[in-house]
Amino acid sequence: MRYRTLGRTGITVSEIGFGAWGIGGGWGPQNDDEAIRALRRAYDLGVTFFDTALGYGNGHSEQLIARALGDVRDKIVIATKIPPKTYRWPVLPHEPVHETFPADWIIACTEQSLRNLKTDYVDVQQLHAWTPPYTDQLEWYEALSRLKESGKVRAFGVSSNDWDPYGPVGAVEAGLLDTVQVIYNIFEQRPAERLLPAAQAHNVGIIVRVPFEEGLLTGELTPDHRFAPDDWRAEWLTPERLAAAAPRVEALKQFLTPDRPTLASLALKFCLSHPAVSTVIPGMRSVARVETNCTVSDGVLLDEAVLAALKEHAFVHGWAYPWAQGDVDIADSR
């Protein structure tokens, strides 16, 4: 495993992090024992960055991390997130911060996460949604700053709204954030237009989520794939959408080589090949997934020619998540 610095925080993190949404529930059959084995195996293979959220299984994901890794707390980096008080995603520009992320809510959620994680500090605390007007509505910033001063939070940032590659740019440029978590992958390349350069310029750590486009970029979700009834993707990746994506996924196989023999390894190396990226957090619910994903951190990145060729494979499909509120146009290039 190789390591990078998480922006201006100075915190060292593994290139491959552990995305812990899946172990919280909602992705089909759930096996807590396997989740704990996967977390421990990740640590054994050098993973030091574990990303969770209070909203993942109402704290269940956080609790599993505590059970699996409590004895090595001082050797790992834990990032978690505060849900909007409305529990609506994404937060929209007309929703004032005193309704979505009021100071007392930020404090209360952080205290609950600390209890779930059985720790007295969180390495990175994040708002689990973001909209640009909050750059000027600083109640959230003041609350997180107080938590940082108290030692309960080492650093803080935001998780960009789903499929919004531009929203946090203003906050990055204003110097308000230590980190930004964002969807970035071979299909969703728009963060490279503005957000990633801004993060480099202001030394803000970038945490990449959804590197596999919710499984599409692994090549395992064929048009005839059927999800378990309790897997939320059953509503999002319909047979029609799987069929639309299939030829685009197939076209990526031309980029496979001995050092990236699978589409999943290509997808992870794409993310790691941008110098703004500190860590990438694929969701992992099994030991097998942990072991295959960790092999990608081998120091061999994609060269400029391959990255240039992959630009032609961007696919802004416009598929909002099932829970998206409001009139969300994820294909909008603001």
Side-chain angles (χ1 to χ4, degrees):
M1 182 63 64
R2 292 172 181 262
Y3 301 87
R4 300 183 181 189
T5 302
L6 188 63
R8 66 191 188 195
T9 70
I11 299 171
T12 299
V13 294
S14 52
E15 287 188 337
I16 303 297
F18 193 109
W21 177 13
I23 64 173
W27 290 71
Q30 192 168 348
N31 185 330
D32 286 354
D33 290 338
E34 179 65 7
I36 289 172
R37 286 191 291 269
L39 286 162
R40 196 69 194 197
R41 182 59 174 152
Y43 172 75
D44 290 342
L45 291 174
V47 172
T48 60
F49 187 79
F50 296 83
D51 180 82
T52 182
L54 183 58
Y56 295 165
N58 192 28
H60 187 60
S61 174
E62 293 176 327
Q63 292 162 3
L64 287 173
I65 289 173
R67 288 170 57 188
L69 300 168
D71 63 323
V72 292
R73 173 65 186 97
D74 61 332
K75 297 180 174 63
I76 63 173
V77 177
I78 298 176
T80 192
K81 307 181 198 72
I82 300 161
K85 190 174 183 179
T86 58
Y87 275 90
R88 295 193 302 264
W89 278 267
V91 292
L92 301 176
H94 69 269
E95 297 179 297
V97 77
H98 65 78
E99 293 180 2
T100 56
F101 293 108
D104 59 349
W105 176 254
I106 287 172
I107 302 297
C109 288
T110 300
E111 295 288 358
Q112 183 59 55
S113 288
L114 293 175
R115 290 191 290 272
N116 290 339
L117 290 162
K118 298 186 184 304
T119 185
D120 55 7
Y121 70 97
V122 171
D123 297 281
V124 184
Q125 181 61 291
Q126 304 158 96
L127 302 185
H128 205 162
W130 179 258
T131 189
Y134 294 174
T135 302
D136 300 314
Q137 301 174 34
L138 294 179
E139 182 175 355
W140 65 273
Y141 178 81
E142 292 162 359
L144 286 169
S145 294
R146 290 200 300 272
L147 285 167
K148 190 173 182 179
E149 290 167 2
S150 73
K152 293 182 178 181
V153 168
R154 294 178 67 194
F156 60 80
V158 302
S159 183
S160 181
N161 274 350
D162 298 325
W163 312 107
D164 180 5
Y166 309 112
V169 172
V172 168
E173 294 175 340
L176 298 176
L177 305 175
D178 298 318
T179 65
V180 171
Q181 185 172 141
V182 66
I183 296 174
Y184 176 59
N185 59 52
I186 293 171
F187 283 171
E188 172 55 296
Q189 298 190 35
R190 293 178 296 171
E193 296 171 12
R194 294 174 53 199
L195 178 59
L196 301 190
Q200 284 181 280
H202 295 272
N203 199 18
V204 169
I206 290 291
I207 303 163
V208 169
R209 73 182 194 266
V210 195
F212 299 142
E213 193 84 347
E214 310 299 12
L216 277 178
L217 289 170
T218 66
E220 298 175 5
L221 302 182
T222 58
D224 60 352
H225 183 88
R226 295 297 177 266
F227 295 97
D230 52 351
D231 188 329
W232 68 267
R233 293 176 298 174
E235 185 179 351
W236 188 64
L237 286 177
T238 61
E240 294 76 17
R241 290 177 176 179
L242 289 171
R248 294 177 177 275
V249 174
E250 182 68 23
L252 295 173
K253 292 181 179 179
Q254 65 183 293
F255 298 101
L256 301 185
T257 64
D259 72 278
R260 48 179 191 271
T262 65
L263 289 173
S265 60
L266 173 69
L268 291 175
K269 288 201 173 195
F270 171 82
C271 300
L272 290 172
S273 294
H274 198 292
V277 173
S278 299
T279 185
V280 56
I281 51 170
M284 300 190 278
R285 291 182 289 152
S286 69
V287 169
R289 293 296 189 193
V290 167
E291 291 177 342
T292 55
N293 288 338
C294 284
T295 62
V296 175
S297 181
D298 59 4
V300 182
L301 301 177
L302 305 184
D303 62 34
E304 291 300 324
V306 172
L307 291 171
L310 284 172
K311 285 184 178 180
E312 303 303 315
H313 294 264
F315 176 35
V316 182
H317 44 63
W319 304 336
Y321 282 136
W323 52 81
Q325 66 153 336
D327 183 16
V328 180
D329 181 5
I330 71 167
D332 175 31
S333 294
R334 284 167 287 160

